[in-house]
Amino acid sequence: MHPFHAHCRDSLAGIRAQGRYREFTPLYKQAEGFPVYRRPDGSEVLVWSSNDYLAMGGHPVVVEAACAAARAMGAGAGGTRNIGGTSPAHDALEAELADLHGKERALLFTSGFVSNQAGLSTILNSLPGFIAFSDQKNHASMIAGIKGSRAAVQIFRHNDTDHLESLLAAADPAAPKLIAFESVYSMDADISPIGAICDLAERYGAMTYLDEVHAVGLYGPQGGGVSERDGVARRVDLIEGTLAKGFGCHGGYIAGDATVMDYIRSTAPGFIFTTSLPPMVAAAALAAVRHVRQDMARRARLFERAEALKSRFDAAGLPRIPSVSHIVPLHVGEAARCKEISRRLLAEFGMYATPINYPTVPRGEERLRFTPTPLHTDAMMDRLVDALVALLRSGEIRAAA
């Protein structure tokens, strides 16, 4: 046996022993029945962990836009953006996203992960001596982009602007600097102090790179994210987002200064050498963005539903992790137990909530993560709380310390 095969076998055995082995649950998403999915045997499952936060994935406007584009242009782009893979839908979507964030230009990528990985590594490799200041809890895609560069890295404690300032103050004043952080952190359900970070960036001559993946479509008067909500989007140099969550489609993007976007477009391998988003996906996303920008009621309903679930968890004495966002995490605290809770919730109650285990969160902080959408009803929430209370009483969930 090759040493690598032996390594794979032994590593997987260790993951299984720790209760961290991941098994996929095959589910049919129903455009007209969301958030109720179906299993292959036809039974229904109420899903609580979808990132289709606004339930836009099945919206008739979005579905019809995809179908019309597929009928006109086919299923795939057929090439990279430079080799026949740019359609009018791609250009229109980039213009719409730039306008959403009040930036000069936006650039599409095949996913949010790729946009962070390609964007950050390209920027940080552009000049010698670049220093990246990265929040301790940044997403794996941001870490991949930063580590994939030659930049020096300084990690500041999560949302700790005092620590960030101490690192900035100690750095070489002449070195090019970039602060990379998120708006909504999806595992802890908290929100960064964007304005205060921009203050520090201006004081110490640093660029700002903000990941708004879990906020675009949801926050702000038009869904421009927390930076729009807080009135600071113009102060952020680069805003990265996704089309796969609040907009219910697929793909990622970065928005910013036209020259910077052109530089990334012209030099980032992760953009240049990959087939572009299918035109039907770009068309669907364009329809979703345009609809969401004017659908304030849908955003209001999302936040009302999130607060309703938080209140129910609290009233039932469930170990909810404090949240200032639309995400509602429930503390479990041990990987095998977290996985078992999820399994029983599905097997016994017909509800699906993904277990969040190490390395996504630190050991001891394992949790279930709930994301109520505008279409989750009071009756659905009552069913969920009754199921979790039943599991708690059976000893499967510990009370939080």
Side-chain angles (χ1 to χ4, degrees):
M1 179 183 292
H2 191 280
F4 177 68
H5 288 270
H7 169 76
C8 292
R9 178 200 61 200
D10 295 343
S11 296
L12 288 169
I15 291 171
R16 285 189 176 93
Q18 296 166 30
R20 296 193 295 112
Y21 186 74
R22 302 184 183 196
E23 296 178 1
F24 298 149
T25 303
L27 297 171
Y28 292 107
K29 187 180 182 185
Q30 300 184 105
E32 296 184 359
F34 185 87
V36 178
Y37 289 47
R38 288 193 181 276
R39 284 183 274 200
D41 64 6
S43 59
E44 291 187 340
V45 177
L46 175 57
V47 171
W48 285 100
S49 295
S50 173
N51 284 339
D52 189 356
Y53 292 138
L54 291 173
M56 286 301 297
H59 195 290
V61 168
V62 177
V63 173
E64 288 307 312
C67 291
R71 284 190 293 267
M73 292 182 276
T80 65
R81 290 291 297 274
N82 191 51
I83 307 175
T86 297
S87 73
H90 292 87
D91 288 338
L93 178 55
E94 287 178 334
E96 189 76 23
L97 292 167
D99 187 68
L100 173 66
H101 294 292
K103 301 300 182 185
E104 292 179 344
R105 190 167 181 180
L107 190 64
L108 286 173
F109 291 82
T110 50
S111 73
F113 191 105
V114 174
S115 58
N116 273 335
Q117 185 179 44
L120 283 167
S121 63
T122 299
I123 294 164
L124 295 172
N125 279 331
S126 64
L127 294 171
F130 232 125
I131 305 174
F133 298 84
S134 178
D135 188 283
Q136 180 184 18
K137 294 193 175 182
N138 274 344
H139 189 264
S141 59
M142 302 178 78
I143 296 169
I146 293 168
K147 285 187 173 181
S149 75
R150 296 183 295 270
V153 184
Q154 297 284 323
I155 298 173
F156 61 94
R157 289 188 293 270
H158 180 51
N159 281 347
D160 188 334
T161 52
D162 290 337
H163 188 217
L164 173 59
E165 181 165 22
S166 69
L167 295 175
L168 288 165
D172 179 357
K177 304 174 184 67
L178 180 143
I179 304 170
F181 62 110
E182 301 180 39
S183 58
V184 175
Y185 287 84
S186 66
M187 292 302 120
D188 286 3
D190 56 352
I191 294 176
S192 65
I194 301 174
I197 291 174
C198 288
D199 290 342
L200 293 177
E202 291 164 6
R203 189 176 307 154
Y204 292 95
M207 292 176 60
T208 45
Y209 182 104
L210 174 64
D211 179 316
E212 287 261 36
V213 159
H214 292 276
V216 289
L218 284 63
Y219 295 77
Q222 296 187 76
V226 178
S227 58
E228 185 197 20
R229 183 198 71 176
D230 294 352
V232 294
R234 61 178 178 78
R235 301 178 63 195
V236 178
D237 293 296
L238 296 162
I239 295 176
E240 184 267 348
T242 185
L243 302 165
K245 294 181 171 63
F247 298 123
C249 297
H250 187 75
Y253 64 89
I254 303 174
D257 174 85
T259 302
V260 173
M261 292 298 97
D262 198 16
Y263 176 79
I264 295 173
R265 182 190 71 87
S266 301
T267 61
F271 176 84
I272 297 170
F273 298 108
T274 189
T275 300
S276 66
L277 287 173
M280 64 179 184
V281 174
L286 177 60
V289 175
R290 286 175 172 170
H291 181 90
V292 166
R293 290 184 73 173
Q294 51 82 36
D295 195 348
M296 295 181 66
R298 186 172 288 257
R299 281 191 288 282
R301 174 70 173 172
L302 168 74
F303 290 107
E304 185 277 327
R305 293 287 79 197
E307 293 306 311
L309 186 61
K310 292 175 191 178
S311 296
R312 280 171 166 78
F313 277 8
D314 293 345
L318 294 170
R320 179 175 69 85
I321 297 172
S323 164
V324 295
S325 71
H326 61 286
I327 298 166
V328 187
L330 191 68
H331 180 264
V332 177
E334 197 274 322
R337 179 177 287 109
C338 195
K339 185 176 179 181
E340 179 65 7
I341 297 297
S342 176
R343 185 195 68 79
R344 288 188 58 185
L345 197 61
L346 179 61
E348 299 173 23
F349 299 95
M351 286 181 276
Y352 178 75
T354 307
I356 307 296
N357 291 332
Y358 175 85
T360 307
V361 295
R363 288 186 175 92
E365 296 185 18
E366 289 82 0
R367 65 199 61 183
L368 296 175
R369 176 177 173 273
F370 298 90
T371 53
T373 73
L375 301 185
H376 281 87
T377 66
D378 287 345
M380 291 174 179
M381 292 184 183
D382 292 339
R383 281 178 54 200
L384 174 64
V385 170
D386 288 346
L388 291 171
V389 167
L391 292 172
L392 173 62
R393 287 175 178 167
S394 70
E396 294 297 339
I397 301 179
R398 290 188 301 205

